[in-house]
């Protein structure tokens, strides 16, 4: 696998350099840390939103710092959690006395490093709270949702967090609405081809030329089922049936839908998947309030896609509708 | 190569179905044509902007219909020009008596079909004018710029066309500023890996495991030079030196820069390319007025990227700064 890089050991730092140079209107780098980025202009007097995670998921997570989204991000190495140092630096930079929410995917490394950062922040008299995203249906059974991983549902959760903070919610209320949003959000993915790590240029896993894997994680974690590749419509229905059953979604409800490409799957294919998604929800009597189709959280150049569904009440619908402007997500 | 599709013969229609379902706030389909899309709400009393081209370049071209961009698009089959029928339908739907600009890449099929559409439109008393995008440095020598192909420079040209029409320019003046913008725009690309056509699932061309091709076209047209893959910095400098020399760009000037992914190349790599681009222009004393990094015009899942540079004067800078809101390009 060929990659346009300078050296495997430099990919993340080079990328952050390029990002900082490309987006000065959105983000600035904190002095002394290459991996700590905050909004160029913070909105005054609000709860701070801090996100973070491993690199290799671009535009996640750096792309979600901006208006209506997060105030700062800590960037880890490829597929590895950021260490506490940039998390704490970002926390200090975005805190305005209203407290800071940590919102990130439920992975052991991220949980450990953000928890440690919360302790260090408390020593500086900064109040923090945490919401862990657990949208991946495939990663644990319904009775153990707290063991589930976070995948593309991140994006809608970051949006709810950012919008509620901008609307003046207190830290407790941001936590409350994000906890509800997380409970209302499910994602199911399908992988068609692996990604390759820059260090080894080896494929992260193997899939035969005619195979797909349902529920495979964004770092190559094993999924629920491997089988012959089916048509786009068949795959879409399979993903949606898992989501609808797990979410106990019924006719008359409203949802936000995100069809996310994992890296090398074309937008053409993602729109073909969305076509069936719209047909499926119309058949179920579920209204799609807003839809998003594109590459929002990738696994480098992995092939495949995921579908995320968030069940909306009036509060969540209004937060999803809130305007946003960050490099990876602009909504006017 | 695996693809998430239903049937090779249906990919474009299925995609347009999905697109129309996903973006009702931006576009509507004209009755009687699956391949003719226009803005949901046209801005009153302005020149109409009509774009179009083959499918397989998503988000080009459908994604560039909206505020500050085009008013309508005709969608062809994969890598094939749309026929006159949807072009004429779109023309009739967007004309408001101020005339219509056709702006598209300089390919034989597109030239033929848009020219035929212009004749058919004139029979309906609709005045049209044409600007052909010829930004691809690699496709013909500097003394034959009219023979050059159009590639990712499309996007900035569509932006200039849409912004000038919204600002009340007459058809003649839209043509004039787009002609200037085209003369000021250059693109150079590098391919790392081929795309595969849905019909055959065969690779469109071959490149060895350690090779790159400079200047390869977005449909697999031969480039200028094939060689061993170099570092991202080396490749970036190579692309930029061709552009700067062809554009006779000198210190003290201002540019807009677009780093475009061809399909499967990650955003991480594109930011690494942008990093060197920023360094290169800083060294040259050229100011980057605005930069865009992402997948703007793809060749399905081709690997590689292109760099587009538009030299700006005050008029072009103000049109590039004009707000935009379409599915593939939102700028507040």
């Amino acid at each position: 696998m060929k990659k346009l890089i300078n050296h495997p050991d430099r990919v993340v730092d080079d990328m952050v350099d390029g990002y900082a140079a490309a987006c000065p209107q959105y983000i600035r780098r904190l002095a002394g840390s290459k991996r700590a980025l905050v909004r160029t202009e913070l909105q005054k007097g609000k709860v701070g939103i801090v996100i973070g995670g491993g690199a290799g998921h671009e535009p996640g997570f750096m792309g979600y710092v901006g208006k209506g989204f997060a105030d700062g991000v800590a960037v880890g190495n490829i597929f590895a959690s950021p260490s506490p140092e940039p998390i704490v630096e970002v926390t200090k930079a975005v805190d305005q006395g209203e407290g800071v929410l940590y919102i990130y995917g439920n992975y052991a490394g991220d949980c450990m490093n953000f928890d440690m950062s919360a302790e260090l922040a408390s020593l500086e008299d900064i109040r923090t709270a945490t919401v862990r995203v657990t949208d991946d249906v495939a990663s644990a059974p319904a009775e153990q949702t707290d063991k589930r991983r976070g995948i593309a549902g991140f994006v809608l959760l970051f949006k709810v967090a950012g919008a509620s903070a901008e609307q003046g919610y207190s830290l407790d209320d941001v936590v409350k609405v994000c906890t509800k949003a997380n409970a209302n959000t499910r994602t199911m993915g399908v992988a068609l081809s692996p990604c390759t790590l820059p260090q080894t240029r080896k494929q992260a896993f193997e899939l035969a030329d005619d195979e797909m894997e349902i529920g495979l994680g964004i770092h190559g974690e094993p999924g629920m089922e491997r089988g012959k590749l089916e048509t786009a419509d068949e795959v879409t229905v399979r993903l949606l049936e898992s989501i609808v059953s797990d979410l106990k979604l019924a006719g008359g409800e409203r949802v936000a839908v995100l069809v996310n490409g994992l890296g090398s799957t074309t937008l053409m294919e993602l729109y073909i998947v969305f076509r069936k998604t719209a047909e499926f929800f119309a058949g179920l009597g579920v209204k799609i309030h807003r839809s998003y189709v594109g590459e929002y959280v990738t696994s480098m150049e992995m092939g495949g896609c995921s579908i995320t569904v968030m069940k909306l009440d009036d509060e969540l619908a209004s937060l999803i509708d809130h305007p946003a402007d960050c490099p990876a997500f602009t909504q006017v």
Side-chain angles (χ1 to χ4, degrees), chain A:
Chain A
M1 185 66 204
K2 287 174 275 193
K3 289 186 188 280
L4 268 176
I5 62 174
N6 291 310
H7 188 283
D9 291 345
R10 278 178 53 191
V11 288
V12 180
D13 288 334
D14 277 3
M15 168 182 74
V16 178
D17 281 347
Y19 188 72
C23 305
Q25 71 274 44
Y26 291 106
I27 56 109
R28 66 184 176 90
R29 224 167 183 166
L30 294 177
S33 175
K34 276 187 157 290
R35 303 296 185 84
L37 302 167
V38 300
R39 275 184 73 177
T40 307
E41 288 183 56
L42 292 176
Q43 184 188 306
K44 294 290 164 226
K46 69 172 213 43
V47 168
I49 307 293
V50 173
I51 60 176
H57 302 298
E58 290 67 34
F61 299 91
M62 298 185 310
Y64 299 103
V65 174
K67 193 179 147 31
F69 270 87
D71 299 293
V73 62
V75 182
N77 285 322
I78 289 190
F79 292 177
S81 169
S83 61
E85 182 266 326
I87 303 174
V88 173
E89 289 308 309
V90 169
T91 306
K92 289 195 279 187
V94 309
D95 179 55
Q96 306 188 60
E98 304 293 327
V100 172
L101 177 73
Y102 290 160
I103 180 162
Y104 56 88
N106 187 32
Y107 294 91
D110 292 305
C111 295
M112 185 184 76
N113 286 305
F114 274 96
D115 281 353
M116 213 180 297
S117 304
E119 281 185 42
L120 294 167
S122 77
L123 300 177
E124 314 255 351
D125 288 327
I126 299 174
R127 190 177 160 220
T128 65
T130 295
V131 173
R132 292 175 182 153
V133 184
T134 59
D135 57 315
D136 183 5
V137 175
S139 55
E143 50 282 7
Q144 295 182 299
T145 49
D146 61 322
K147 294 214 163 41
R148 286 181 173 172
R149 302 180 291 239
I151 49 175
F154 290 142
V155 178
L156 299 180
L157 265 288
F158 296 159
K159 181 158 197 345
V160 166
S164 60
E166 274 195 12
Q167 291 185 10
Y169 282 44
S170 69
L171 181 58
D172 288 348
D173 289 341
V174 171
V175 168
K176 206 167 147 189
V177 75
C178 289
T179 304
K180 175 171 76 177
N182 185 49
N184 281 11
T185 303
R186 298 290 186 282
T187 301
M188 273 292 285
V190 59
L192 267 64
S193 60
C195 59
T196 52
L197 298 168
Q199 293 286 354
T200 62
R201 317 277 165 105
K202 293 245 163 64
Q203 301 192 332
F205 55 90
E206 282 185 23
L207 263 176
D209 274 351
D210 59 350
E211 275 185 338
M212 63 175 183
E213 183 159 338
I214 300 280
L216 191 128
I218 56 172
H219 312 97
E221 298 93 335
M224 294 168 81
E225 192 185 347
R226 188 175 279 216
K228 297 275 178 212
L229 179 62
E230 299 171 346
T231 66
D233 283 1
E234 287 164 343
V235 172
T236 303
V237 167
R238 212 184 248 274
L239 301 180
L240 288 170
E241 280 179 347
S242 290
I243 290 169
V244 162
S245 137
D246 202 87
L247 201 49
K248 302 185 178 34
L249 196 65
E253 305 209 75
R254 266 182 308 168
V255 294
V257 173
L258 184 144
V259 174
N260 176 57
L262 294 176
S264 61
T265 292
T266 61
L267 201 45
M268 171 178 275
E269 292 158 271
L270 302 182
Y271 279 121
I272 293 174
V273 168
F274 185 79
R275 174 187 167 278
K276 188 65 189 179
T277 303
E279 202 173 280
F280 178 92
F281 280 129
L284 205 66
V286 166
K287 181 171 160 37
I288 299 181
H289 178 72
R290 278 203 186 250
S291 57
Y292 305 98
V293 180
E295 286 185 357
Y296 289 91
V297 180
T298 63
S299 298
M300 295 192 283
E301 75 288 357
M302 198 187 285
C305 73
S306 64
I307 305 178
T308 298
V309 177
M310 181 187 280
K311 188 162 71 176
L312 302 177
D313 57 13
D314 288 345
E315 182 184 34
L316 291 175
S318 119
L319 295 169
I320 290 291
D321 289 344
H322 188 81
D325 182 23
C326 57
F329 198 122
T330 298
Q331 177 173 297
V332 292

